[in-house]
Coordinates of all heavy atoms in Angstrom, one line a residue:
Q105 N -9.4 0.4 -5.0 CA -7.9 0.4 -5.3 C -7.2 1.6 -4.7 O -6.1 1.6 -4.3 CB -7.7 0.4 -6.8 CG -8.3 -0.8 -7.5 CD -7.7 -2.1 -7.1 OE1 -6.4 -2.2 -7.2 NE2 -8.4 -3.0 -6.5
S106 N -8.0 2.8 -4.7 CA -7.4 4.0 -4.2 C -8.4 4.7 -3.3 O -9.6 4.8 -3.5 CB -7.1 5.0 -5.4 OG -6.2 4.4 -6.2
I107 N -7.8 5.3 -2.2 CA -8.6 6.0 -1.2 C -8.0 7.4 -1.1 O -6.8 7.5 -0.8 CB -8.6 5.3 0.2 CG1 -9.3 3.9 0.1 CG2 -9.4 6.2 1.2 CD1 -9.3 3.2 1.3
F108 N -8.8 8.4 -1.3 CA -8.4 9.8 -1.1 C -8.9 10.3 0.2 O -10.2 10.3 0.4 CB -8.9 10.7 -2.3 CG -8.3 10.4 -3.6 CD1 -8.6 9.3 -4.3 CD2 -7.3 11.3 -4.1 CE1 -7.9 9.1 -5.6 CE2 -6.6 11.1 -5.2 CZ -7.0 10.0 -6.0
V109 N -8.1 10.7 1.1 CA -8.4 11.1 2.4 C -8.3 12.6 2.5 O -7.2 13.2 2.4 CB -7.5 10.5 3.5 CG1 -7.9 10.9 4.9 CG2 -7.5 9.0 3.4
I110 N -9.4 13.2 2.6 CA -9.5 14.7 2.6 C -9.5 15.1 4.1 O -10.5 15.1 4.8 CB -10.7 15.3 1.9 CG1 -10.7 14.9 0.4 CG2 -10.7 16.8 2.0 CD1 -11.9 15.3 -0.4
G111 N -8.3 15.4 4.7 CA -8.1 15.6 6.1 C -7.8 17.0 6.5 O -7.3 17.2 7.6
E112 N -8.2 18.0 5.7 CA -7.9 19.3 6.1 C -8.5 19.8 7.4 O -7.9 20.5 8.1 CB -8.3 20.2 4.9 CG -7.5 20.0 3.7 CD -8.1 20.6 2.4 OE1 -9.3 20.3 2.2 OE2 -7.4 21.3 1.7
Q113 N -9.8 19.4 7.6 CA -10.5 19.8 8.8 C -9.9 19.2 10.1 O -10.0 19.7 11.2 CB -11.9 19.5 8.7 CG -12.8 20.4 9.6 CD -14.3 20.2 9.3 OE1 -14.8 19.1 9.1 NE2 -14.9 21.4 9.2
L114 N -9.1 18.1 9.9 CA -8.4 17.5 11.0 C -7.4 18.4 11.7 O -7.2 18.3 12.9 CB -7.8 16.2 10.6 CG -7.2 15.3 11.6 CD1 -8.3 14.8 12.6 CD2 -6.5 14.1 11.0
T115 N -6.9 19.4 11.0 CA -5.9 20.3 11.5 C -6.5 21.2 12.7 O -5.8 21.7 13.5 CB -5.4 21.3 10.4 OG1 -6.4 22.0 9.9 CG2 -4.7 20.5 9.3
H116 N -7.9 21.3 12.7 CA -8.5 22.2 13.7 C -8.5 21.4 15.1 O -8.7 22.0 16.1 CB -9.9 22.5 13.3 CG -10.0 23.3 12.0 ND1 -9.2 24.4 11.8 CD2 -10.8 23.1 10.9 CE1 -9.5 24.9 10.5 NE2 -10.4 24.1 10.0
Y117 N -8.4 20.1 15.0 CA -8.5 19.3 16.2 C -7.2 18.6 16.6 O -7.1 18.2 17.7 CB -9.7 18.2 16.0 CG -11.0 18.9 15.8 CD1 -11.4 19.2 14.5 CD2 -11.8 19.2 16.8 CE1 -12.7 19.9 14.3 CE2 -13.0 19.8 16.6 CZ -13.4 20.2 15.4 OH -14.6 20.8 15.2
M118 N -6.3 18.5 15.7 CA -4.9 18.0 16.0 C -4.0 19.0 15.4 O -3.7 19.0 14.2 CB -4.8 16.6 15.4 CG -5.7 15.5 16.0 SD -5.4 13.9 15.2 CE -3.8 13.5 16.0

Side-chain angles (χ1 to χ4, degrees):
Q105 300 297 302
S106 300
I107 299 176
F108 288 78
V109 181
I110 302 176
E112 292 162 310
Q113 202 167 47
L114 188 59
T115 60
H116 302 310
Y117 297 90
M118 298 181 71

